[in-house]
């Protein structure tokens, strides 16, 4: 019954704390009925009047109240203690006891009600844990099934493959992932003749080259420093000509004006002309006047992609004119950092056909699992707060497109990336071995995971630092007043805290984050008498002005630190300065080393541990958590000890061991200084470029060609129309809507096009897309309930064409559709749409492009462009099995052979069939190593499976590059719903006109499952580029709407 006594105590404490601090009501509405109805009405009227008169004042009061609650919330604390520490049976017994001893007092009634509510909270927590366990079990079973399917395919070898395999059987497959493959060439100075252009992307946070505001918020941390230093280091590597670091432009008054500058130089061009330098390029996206957190950036990612694409095209042209005879110099690699930049890099890689590299830094699935285990938030709450499902999907997209994933440690590969659908360590190793042997992988792909520890700039580490003896006479000796002016100010700021500054210093440097585990370190220091007598403790926990104004988690950590200092009476032994500059961090390390101190990183989990390398560079031995990257770092440097972050006695013992044994201290210091070159930036860049060069060998070498702006007469464009039958794919005797068969329809089509050509042979209209100044794009998915294309599509095409004067040739027209070529041609010609006015037909959900102005010729370069990772025939049959839902019939989904092409497999979906949604189907494909784009079209009656980088949105980017038309000069016309790729047509730099009432049936019900992200995480609610046409879709209405967008 001791547990029940504790529960009673906690419940009483909750009542004493007040029931309004966290919004938890403990008084039922029934208790309020004792007040008279008249009094209640008067009170409501008074409140309403007060709200009308002083609404602004009330808001300010609420803000002040929330600020006060950030420091500590006793109600929340005691509720969490009860829910997390006691079984529901104890809660139930306590409730029964309260009911049995209830009296008429109001407090007794409140206690009964409170107990009942918290009991239900505990049951809710248990239900959340149960649901999560079931989801994990289902996902694990599906992954095992996917691995089994892949193993079955990969175990089947042809005779030739068996011979190749036998020849290499004597070579054992290593279990661990090596940093450099044996067949990889190490980057050397001999590559200095190359002129590589490298793109790095890091969107969120405040990014600048000097005076970085690290620790200002959760978005501006170690990643910002890493990408800036990586850009500089790469630019200083021989063979690299230019490095651009792309980030978001921020012109908010909340931040310094430097973040609004479009370009910032990070390193100067070399005198010999071998390097153009490194630059920060700031791309505007989202609200121009607000600095928003990374969780709110997701709807604006397509804007960033389009802006970045424009910059890369302009730079490729400029670099090509400068040193490559006018041929565009496309990026050597595009490297995305974190999930948001990973999605950007995936889209740019697809648009430019350039290899992509991904660095996760921290991963969404890992964070999601940890939050669920805590049991404080439901899946829905986690998703709404952190946009975690949107982040996870972006990381999966990065895995789909990436040739290489850079990690800091092996632990990150096995325990973090191993949680993702798109990566399986066992399957990746099998595929790697098969590629090395020259054996088919049957269309399966996995990104290569490589361990490349982050580098560090040692240029500012002075020689005397590595040879110093810890002499502090200039600071704390008798002549300190004389020499103080020559010392770093941060030294005095730290030393003023100490009663005895001669002691060795234990240094901890991190954000005030609960995961950094500073409170356990402080408890270990406070409860170990020998450690307190031997050393001082310095805590560098970011910058602060007022703890109450900090985020809740940070304020809780700092408040706890202050409480522990008071509890253990550590005044004069612990330093906790409020401010420090990033440029002063090296001086802090130097100070600790001069006192013969120790650096400690006690984090619960440390993905890498860059501060450990920094400390080693200044001759500081280290104590670090055994969870994560520090294991590899200390193994390489041999300069410290590993500890269990939960074992405060073990932490104290490790610190004592290093501090008390001077021989051990000097030995570990010497080891760190000797081995630190392994983590230098030059070493990092050599490894990085070697791996990138290796992965590029497997990447397609085709590049975009920008068509010059040369006019081409329409009459010439139809030359050779008699050979159109070779360019239009029509198979078998397929009949559409019971009308003419394919052969007859094709013959009539050729006759009509020939007649059009002859009647316009003398036309003087110039008809080359390179002359266009803008594009009108029709992407309306007009289908009836049976999935047949309706007459509304050709009608809106004609109305859009009428809405502008096309005689000058300034505006071109493009049609995006999920229909096949023969279907869309037949529909347009039946309703007498003039084909010669259409610049491009993008068919089969973006997998094929045809040019009516070139005899309906297929763009073969586009087909090669989107071929990357296309599994082809290997995926053709498996789609039907995977797309069929549980309990579905064999004929629910069947292949539509007559409409299949080399880049699109089409499947007919029976009405009412049990089929999987896009999210579920894509997950199963990823688990088996297949990288495809999947689209439900024709009002859910058809499924198109196309290459990974083929989509209607990506086709627009492709045409933008080929034709030299800026994406901001495009207008996309859509309905209110459409195919499952509809959402991605609404966003970006182009203007979007939504024609209400145009589309009756869409496919959105088969897009996302219940656990997926929300539509608001893709489409911004405040985009000025999206407008609605409320009244019909006539030409005059469209013209009026275009006028409102500033388009004449």
């Amino acid at each position: 019954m001791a547990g029940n006594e504790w529960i009673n105590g906690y419940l009483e404490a909750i009542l004493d704390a007040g029931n309004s601090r966290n919004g938890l009501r403990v008084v039922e509405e029934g208790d309020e009925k004792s007040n008279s109805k008249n009094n209640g009405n008067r009170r409501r009227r008074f409140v309403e009047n007060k709200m009308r008169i002083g609404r602004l004042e009330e808001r300010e009061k609420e803000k002040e109240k929330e600020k006060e609650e950030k420091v500590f919330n006793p109600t929340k604390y005691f509720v969490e203690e009860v829910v997390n520490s006691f079984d529901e049976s104890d809660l139930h017994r306590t409730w029964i006891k309260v009911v049995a001893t209830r009296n008429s007092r109001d407090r007794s009634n409140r206690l009964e009600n409170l107990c009942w509510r918290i009991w239900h909270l505990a049951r809710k927590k248990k239900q959340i844990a149960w649901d999560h366990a079931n989801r994990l079990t289902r996902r694990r079973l599906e992954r095992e099934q996917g691995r089994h399917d892949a193993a079955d395919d990969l175990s089947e070898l042809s005779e030739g493959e068996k011979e190749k395999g036998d020849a290499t059987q004597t070579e054992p497959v290593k279990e661990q992932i090596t940093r450099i493959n044996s067949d990889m060439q190490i980057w050397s100075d001999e590559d200095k003749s190359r002129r590589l252009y490298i793109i790095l992307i890091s969107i969120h946070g405040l990014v600048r080259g000097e005076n970085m505001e690290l620790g200002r918020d959760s978005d501006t941390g170690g990643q910002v420093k890493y990408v800036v230093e990586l850009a500089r280091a790469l630019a200083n590597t021989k063979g690299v000509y230019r490095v651009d670091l792309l980030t978001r432009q921020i012109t908010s008054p909340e931040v310094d004006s430097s973040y609004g500058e479009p370009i910032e130089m990070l390193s100067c061009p070399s005198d010999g002309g071998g390097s153009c330098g490194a630059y920060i390029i700031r791309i505007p996206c989202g609200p121009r006047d607000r600095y928003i957190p990374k969780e709110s950036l997701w709807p604006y990612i397509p804007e960033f992609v389009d802006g970045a694409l424009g910059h890369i095209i302009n730079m490729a042209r400029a670099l090509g004119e400068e040193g490559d005879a006018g041929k565009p110099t496309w990026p050597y690699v595009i490297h995305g950092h974190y999930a948001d930049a990973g999605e950007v890099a995936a889209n740019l890689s697809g648009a430019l056909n350039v290899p992509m590299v991904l660095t996760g830094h921290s991963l969404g699935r890992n964070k999601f699992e940890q939050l669920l285990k805590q049991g404080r938030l439901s899946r829905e709450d986690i998703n709404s707060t952190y946009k975690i499902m949107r982040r996870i999907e972006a990381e999966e997209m990065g895995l789909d497109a990436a040739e290489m994933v850079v990690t800091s440690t092996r632990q990150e590969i096995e325990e973090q990336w191993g949680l993702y659908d798109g990566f399986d360590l066992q399957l990746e190793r099998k595929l790697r071995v098969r590629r090395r042997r020259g054996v088919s992988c049957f269309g399966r792909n996995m990104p290569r995971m490589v361990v490349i520890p982050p580098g560090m700039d040692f240029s500012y580490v002075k020689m005397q630092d590595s040879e110093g003896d810890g002499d502090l006479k200039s600071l704390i000796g008798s002549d300190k007043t004389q020499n103080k002016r020559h010392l770093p100010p941060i030294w005095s700021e730290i030393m003023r805290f100490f009663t005895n500054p001669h002691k060795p210093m234990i240094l901890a440097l991190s954000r005030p984050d609960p995961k950094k585990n500073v409170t356990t370190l402080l408890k270990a220091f406070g409860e170990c008498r020998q450690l307190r007598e031997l050393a001082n403790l310095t805590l560098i926990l970011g910058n602060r002005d007022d703890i109450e104004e900090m985020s809740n988690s940070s304020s809780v950590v700092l408040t706890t630190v202050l409480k522990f200092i008071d509890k253990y009476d550590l005044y004069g032994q612990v330093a906790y300065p409020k401010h420090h500059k990033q440029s002063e961090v090296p001086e802090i390390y130097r100070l600790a080393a001069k006192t013969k101190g120790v650096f400690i990183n006690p984090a619960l989990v440390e993905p890498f541990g860059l501060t450990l390398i920094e400390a080693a560079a200044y001759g500081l031995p280290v104590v670090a958590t055994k969870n994560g990257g520090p294991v590899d770092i200390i193994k390489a440097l041999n300069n410290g000890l590993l500890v269990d972050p939960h074992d405060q006695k073990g932490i104290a013992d490790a610190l004592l061991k290093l501090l008390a044994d001077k021989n051990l201290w000097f030995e570990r210091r010497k080891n760190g200084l000797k081995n630190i070159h392994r983590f230098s930036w030059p070493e990092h860049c050599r490894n990085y470029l070697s791996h990138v060069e290796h992965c590029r060998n497997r990447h397609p070498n085709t590049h975009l060609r920008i068509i010059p702006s040369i006019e081409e007469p329409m009459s010439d464009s139809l030359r050779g129309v008699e050979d159109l039958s070779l360019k239009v794919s029509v198979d078998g005797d397929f009949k559409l809507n019971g009308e003419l068969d394919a052969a007859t329809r094709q013959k009539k089509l050729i006759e009509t096009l020939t007649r059009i050509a002859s009647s316009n042979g003398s036309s003087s209209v110039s008809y080359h897309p390179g002359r266009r100044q803008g594009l009108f794009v029709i992407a309306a998915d007009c289908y009836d309930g049976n999935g047949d294309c309706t007459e509304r599509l050709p009608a809106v095409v004609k109305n859009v064409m009428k809405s502008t004067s096309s005689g000058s040739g300034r505006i071109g027209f493009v049609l995006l559709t999920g229909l096949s070529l023969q279907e869309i041609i037949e529909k347009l010609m039946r309703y007498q749409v003039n084909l010669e006015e259409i610049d491009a037909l993008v068919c089969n959900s973006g997998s094929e492009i045809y040019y009516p102005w070139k005899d309906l010729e297929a763009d073969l370069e586009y087909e090669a462009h989107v071929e990357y990772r296309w599994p082809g025939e290997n995926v053709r049959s498996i789609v039907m099995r995977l797309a069929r839902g549980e309990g579905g019939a064999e004929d629910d989904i069947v292949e539509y052979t007559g409409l299949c092409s080399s880049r699109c497999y089409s499947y007919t979906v029976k009405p009412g069939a049990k089929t999987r949604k896009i999210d579920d189907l894509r997950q199963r494909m990823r688990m088996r190593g297949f990288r495809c784009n999947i689209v439900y079209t024709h009002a859910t009656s058809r499924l198109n499976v196309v290459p990974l980088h083929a989509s209607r949105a990506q086709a627009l980017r492709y045409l933008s590059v080929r034709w030299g038309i800026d994406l901001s000069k495009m207008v996309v016309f859509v309905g209110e719903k459409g195919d499952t790729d509809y959402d991605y047509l609404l966003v970006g730099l182009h203007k979007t006109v939504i024609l209400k009432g145009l589309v009756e049936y869409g496919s959105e019900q088969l897009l996302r499952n219940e656990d997926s992200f929300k539509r608001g995480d893709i489409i911004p609610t405040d985009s000025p580029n999206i407008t609605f046409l409320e009244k019909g879709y006539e030409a005059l209405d469209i013209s009026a709407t275009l006028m409102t967008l500033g388009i004449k």
Side-chain angles (χ1 to χ4, degrees), residues 125 128-129 132-133 135-136 365-380 382:
K125 179 190 174 185
I128 290 173
H132 178 56
R135 286 189 177 93
L136 286 180
R365 279 203 187 276
N366 189 49
K367 181 173 183 176
F368 188 41
E369 297 296 326
Q370 291 178 356
L371 291 171
L372 283 175
K373 287 178 181 177
Q374 292 177 2
R376 298 176 183 177
L377 297 173
S378 66
R379 295 175 66 91
E380 293 76 16
I382 294 172

Side-chain angles (χ1 to χ4, degrees), residues 204 246 284 317 739 779 914-915:
H204 64 262
L246 309 186
R317 282 173 169 161
E739 298 184 5
K914 295 181 179 180
T915 56

Side-chain angles (χ1 to χ4, degrees), residues 729-792:
S729 174
V730 181
D731 302 320
D733 58 351
F734 163 68
K735 297 182 180 181
L736 185 64
N737 297 331
E739 298 184 5
L740 299 175
D741 60 19
T744 305
R745 192 167 64 250
Q746 181 176 341
K747 181 179 178 181
K748 288 186 174 292
L749 177 62
I750 294 173
E751 291 174 353
T752 304
L753 288 175
T754 306
R755 186 172 59 255
I756 293 174
S758 61
S759 63
N760 290 278
S762 59
S763 174
S764 60
V765 177
S766 297
Y767 210 83
H768 194 284
R771 305 296 297 176
R772 304 303 191 197
Q773 298 179 19
L775 287 179
F776 284 1
V777 182
I778 300 95
D781 303 317
C782 302
Y783 304 107
D784 59 22
N786 298 320
D788 297 324
C789 183
T790 67
E791 68 279 2
R792 292 186 177 186

Side-chain angles (χ1 to χ4, degrees), residues 876-940:
R876 193 164 188 166
S877 60
I878 199 173
V879 170
M880 292 183 287
R881 176 166 60 86
L882 295 181
R884 197 175 296 121
E886 296 182 7
E890 289 290 330
D891 61 345
D892 276 354
I893 178 168
V894 295
E895 185 176 348
Y896 203 150
T897 308
L899 293 183
C900 289
S901 66
S902 61
R903 297 294 181 272
C904 177
Y905 297 141
S906 295
Y907 303 84
T908 300
V909 180
K910 187 173 68 175
K914 295 181 179 180
T915 56
R916 299 191 188 279
K917 295 184 177 181
I918 291 293
D919 282 350
D920 296 327
L921 180 53
R922 186 186 291 121
Q923 178 191 56
R924 284 161 173 77
M925 299 279 279
R926 284 169 173 161
M927 288 177 174
R928 289 157 176 81
F930 292 122
R931 315 292 177 171
C932 304
N933 187 20
I934 311 163
V935 182
Y936 279 108
T937 179
H938 289 65
T940 72

Side-chain angles (χ1 to χ4, degrees), residues 131-169:
D131 292 343
H132 178 56
N134 285 338
R135 286 189 177 93
L136 286 180
T137 299
R138 289 195 298 268
R139 187 168 175 272
R140 184 170 60 253
L141 292 174
E142 185 59 40
R143 289 195 65 166
E144 291 176 357
Q145 181 62 46
R147 188 181 295 133
H148 177 72
D149 291 348
D152 287 346
D153 283 351
L154 297 178
S155 64
E156 296 296 329
L157 301 180
S158 67
E159 291 301 320
E161 291 171 340
K162 288 179 180 178
E163 292 176 4
K164 291 181 181 179
D166 293 339
T168 56
Q169 272 183 347

